[in-house]
Amino acid sequence: MTFQELQPKITAIIAGTDHSRDEKLLNICQLLSENIDYYNWVGFYFANHENKTLHLGPYVGAETDHTVIPFGKGICGQVAVSNENFVVPDVAAQDNYIACSFTVKSEIVVPLFVNGVNIGQIDIDSHVIDPFTEADEKFLEFVNQEVAKLY
């Protein structure tokens, strides 16, 4: 399924009234994981600005020990500080990468803004080296714009 075909499905999940916010986020993770071959782990992290930590929210994929990540640590922690998308074509070449699994080869993290504040991010891991393009970034920005409506 193309990103363009997935967009109305994302909008429909957000607009639905029969699920909680976390259920909607999980449904988005499942939709992306099931329809984009190289999205092997899809999840959300949410910021606690007082403690300067990220906390794992709904996700689909292999279990992770990284349920709390300090700001600045790893790719997710760097996005919490930079407020910018971060695409890692090859995690083996990245100095500040927190290894989740030896199967992960690349990662993309896109911040989630609500009223101009970075409240979290969507994090995608892939078992493929360098699969992410500008189209992935634009699509995940769209996903986060829709998710922001839940906050």
Side-chain angles (χ1 to χ4, degrees):
M1 200 173 287
T2 67
F3 293 140
Q4 191 170 5
E5 292 169 325
L6 287 169
Q7 285 182 339
K9 295 182 181 304
I10 297 290
T11 302
I13 289 170
I14 297 299
T17 57
D18 55 341
H19 291 94
S20 70
R21 180 168 57 197
D22 277 357
E23 288 170 333
K24 290 178 182 184
L25 294 175
L26 183 60
N27 288 342
I28 288 170
C29 293
Q30 290 171 330
L31 179 72
L32 299 184
S33 177
E34 290 169 3
N35 289 284
I36 303 171
D37 290 345
Y38 54 94
Y39 283 20
N40 302 114
W41 191 97
V42 180
F44 289 92
Y45 282 93
F46 292 95
N48 179 323
H49 289 283
E50 287 180 25
N51 296 334
K52 297 204 177 308
T53 52
L54 292 166
H55 297 264
L56 182 62
Y59 73 94
V60 171
E63 284 195 38
T64 179
D65 293 335
H66 304 124
T67 58
V68 179
I69 300 173
F71 282 15
K73 185 157 176 67
I75 308 309
C76 291
Q78 289 177 74
V79 169
V81 174
S82 73
N83 297 320
E84 295 178 1
N85 299 351
F86 200 149
V87 179
V88 182
D90 181 357
V91 296
Q94 187 66 36
D95 290 342
N96 194 13
Y97 174 69
I98 303 172
C100 296
S101 165
F102 69 91
T103 59
V104 176
K105 304 296 184 206
S106 57
E107 182 174 14
I108 184 170
V109 180
V110 176
L112 170 59
F113 295 99
V114 174
N115 299 322
V117 176
N118 181 350
I119 67 154
Q121 53 205 228
I122 190 167
D123 178 19
I124 315 277
D125 291 343
S126 179
H127 298 165
V128 178
I129 289 182
D130 199 17
F132 303 114
T133 67
E134 188 175 324
D136 291 276
E137 285 190 73
K138 297 294 181 215
F139 173 67
L140 295 172
E141 288 169 358
F142 166 82
V143 170
N144 280 352
Q145 287 168 358
E146 290 297 301
V147 168
K149 296 174 183 176
L150 300 173
Y151 292 86

